[in-house]
Amino acid sequence: MPTRNPASDSPKGAGLSGAAPPPGVLTAVRRVLVPLVRTLIGFGISWPMLANLLKSVYVEVAERGFALPGKPMTDSRITLLTGVHRKDVSQIRNAPPPAEAAAAAAPSFGSQVLSRWLTESAYRDAGGRPRPLPRTASADGKDSFETLVTGISKDIRPRALLDELLHAGLVAERPDGLLELAAAAHVPRGDLDKLAYYYGRNLADHLAASGHNLAGGAPPFLERALAYDRLSPESVAALRREADRLGMAMLVELNRMAADLADGDAGREDANHRFTAGLYLYHEAEPPAPALKAADSGGETAPS
């Protein structure tokens, strides 16, 4: 994602004009909050916990993204922007930073290894798929899992990493002894910390892109989706299979291209930007629409 000033995405005068927020934006935010709150309740995050978290986030965002040029950000201005009481603002700003190292940490070394396995030509077959690898390099010098790991870092023992990947089901050992990469192995499953990391990272970037576009930011970020209703379960299953196939093909190709470009950008002073591209799909059974009452007879009329 290109680096930019967060304040540039905000409508001019936002938070200071005294005007009521646009009703359409409030409706959209409420819709966004419904699945979020469902997740929060499911993990035991109560309203008081969320309220405290939101208060600190309001202060943090105002301080980082809404400072006036050439002027220090004061507690009073943050209160004016956010509605958070000045005493709370002062307490939050003077508190030590929260211990969020796990949530903010970069993807693990294992993820880097899996990404290289997916993208580097030396580890892909003629069809572009990650090829099975021997554990160690053979006499003919062919690439192996060991050379894959040591090519990224010599501080990690390949055997120790392999044991973890095998245990997580991300790599499998075939009867002939070759190691095979599991489908979509670069998306860890079953590890709550990793799943939570990707949940936060992906939704945060999607919301940042959407907010940029909603505020009229230019150029707009790519953000497209299609939506159909009145589909049978069989039709949804067919669409899901095709979306999985096309989506993974796109991500694998972008992953390969990004890895090549990152190698070429190594050492450049302006190599301080990040880029995110993603896709998602969702489906659910919709509840039946409420029947409409006929005005003249008091009966019910089914919606068309």
Side-chain angles (χ1 to χ4, degrees):
M1 181 183 296
T3 302
R4 63 185 189 283
N5 181 357
S8 66
D9 290 349
S10 307
K12 292 183 179 179
L16 295 174
S17 66
V25 174
L26 288 176
T27 299
V29 169
R30 189 183 191 282
R31 187 171 186 175
V32 169
L33 288 175
V34 169
L36 175 61
V37 171
R38 185 183 300 125
T39 299
L40 297 178
I41 294 175
F43 282 96
I45 301 174
S46 65
W47 160 245
M49 295 171 67
L50 177 63
N52 287 330
L53 181 60
L54 278 175
K55 190 182 295 184
S56 65
V57 170
Y58 261 85
V59 172
E60 177 187 336
V61 171
E63 184 172 20
R64 291 184 178 182
F66 290 83
L68 295 174
K71 293 186 177 181
M73 179 62 88
T74 64
D75 293 350
S76 295
R77 175 168 168 80
I78 293 177
T79 294
L80 185 64
L81 286 167
T82 66
V84 177
H85 194 280
R86 189 170 179 272
K87 185 181 296 185
D88 291 332
V89 171
S90 177
Q91 183 179 8
I92 292 169
R93 295 183 78 190
N94 293 321
E100 296 176 342
S108 68
F109 181 76
S111 296
Q112 297 177 50
V113 169
L114 298 178
S115 177
R116 290 286 181 173
W117 197 344
L118 278 164
T119 59
E120 286 206 357
S121 58
Y123 301 102
R124 291 184 289 130
D125 61 21
R129 297 177 295 273
R131 61 182 179 83
L133 298 174
R135 283 175 176 257
T136 58
S138 56
D140 57 12
K142 287 188 177 180
D143 290 302
S144 63
F145 181 81
E146 183 179 49
T147 60
L148 171 62
V149 174
T150 56
I152 299 175
S153 173
K154 293 182 172 58
D155 296 329
I156 302 295
R157 290 195 303 116
R159 177 56 189 269
L161 177 61
L162 178 59
D163 288 344
E164 290 297 321
L165 296 177
L166 289 170
H167 177 71
L170 301 176
V171 173
E173 186 170 11
R174 304 192 326 187
D176 60 6
L178 293 179
L179 302 173
E180 198 165 49
L181 186 63
H186 60 298
V187 182
R189 301 180 186 276
D191 185 323
L192 184 58
D193 287 340
K194 288 188 174 67
L195 291 173
Y197 166 81
Y198 286 108
Y199 176 84
R201 187 195 68 175
N202 295 343
L203 289 186
D205 281 351
H206 194 168
L207 283 171
S210 298
H212 171 87
N213 294 346
L214 181 64
F221 287 109
L222 173 65
E223 188 192 14
R224 299 288 184 271
L226 60 85
Y228 278 81
D229 54 15
R230 300 184 183 182
L231 293 170
S232 68
E234 293 78 13
S235 295
V236 168
L239 287 168
R240 182 166 184 167
R241 286 192 300 270
E242 187 66 2
D244 286 343
R245 184 185 69 82
L246 294 173
M248 284 305 301
M250 182 199 82
L251 291 177
V252 167
E253 177 59 21
L254 281 177
N255 197 7
R256 180 201 60 76
M257 181 178 178
D260 291 343
L261 291 171
D263 288 341
D265 288 342
R268 287 184 50 161
E269 292 185 0
D270 62 349
N272 57 357
H273 293 226
R274 68 184 185 91
F275 173 84
T276 299
L279 55 91
Y280 72 95
L281 61 86
Y282 182 73
H283 63 84
E284 65 179 356
E286 293 187 313
L292 302 177
K293 292 184 177 181
D296 55 346
S297 63
E300 294 184 348
T301 303
S304 58

